[in-house]
Amino acid sequence: MLQVTFIEHDGTTHLVPAPPERTLMQIALDNGVPGILGDCGGSCSCATCHAYVDARWADKLPTRSETETFMLEGVPEPRESSRLCCQIKMQVALDGIVVQLPEVQV
């Protein structure tokens, strides 16, 4: 099984199993990771699954869509590493990915 490490804003770490083809948002919700809300159910329309993806994984991620880029414009404290977890599907190349969660979601 693949794995994802979610790090809460206070440093609390959650190492969770990550089935292929599930989004990072779904994986977080499946494992009760606090800080990912996923209010829109993964349709890229709310930005409540905003997170910062560790730079080591940046070149392995899909390119941001126009919709994701637009949604990220409204998040508190955006960074270059900001992504919406609903837009990243787990795959072998992402095994071990590290995702830091912001203090607040939209």
Side-chain angles (χ1 to χ4, degrees):
M1 177 74 65
L2 307 175
Q3 293 187 321
V4 176
T5 299
F6 292 98
I7 304 173
E8 293 181 57
H9 74 278
D10 67 0
T12 303
T13 300
H14 303 269
L15 180 61
V16 299
E21 297 304 311
R22 300 272 300 159
T23 66
L24 294 181
M25 182 205 75
Q26 292 167 322
I27 293 164
L29 295 176
D30 290 347
N31 289 282
V33 175
I36 295 287
L37 306 176
D39 288 345
C40 72
S43 63
C44 196
S45 63
C46 73
T48 61
C49 64
H50 170 231
Y52 310 113
V53 177
D54 188 285
R56 294 174 291 173
W57 303 96
D59 64 339
K60 295 177 175 67
L61 298 176
T63 304
R64 284 185 194 146
S65 68
E66 189 175 308
T67 303
E68 182 181 7
T69 299
F70 175 76
M71 294 306 301
L72 286 168
E73 290 174 3
V75 301
E77 301 183 38
R79 300 180 188 167
E80 189 165 323
S81 63
S82 289
R83 294 299 302 259
L84 297 182
C85 289
C86 68
Q87 299 302 293
I88 301 171
K89 283 190 178 182
M90 195 61 194
Q91 54 186 303
V92 173
L94 296 178
D95 188 24
I97 191 170
V98 177
V99 179
Q100 188 173 14
L101 305 176
E103 186 170 358
V104 298
Q105 293 287 355
V106 174

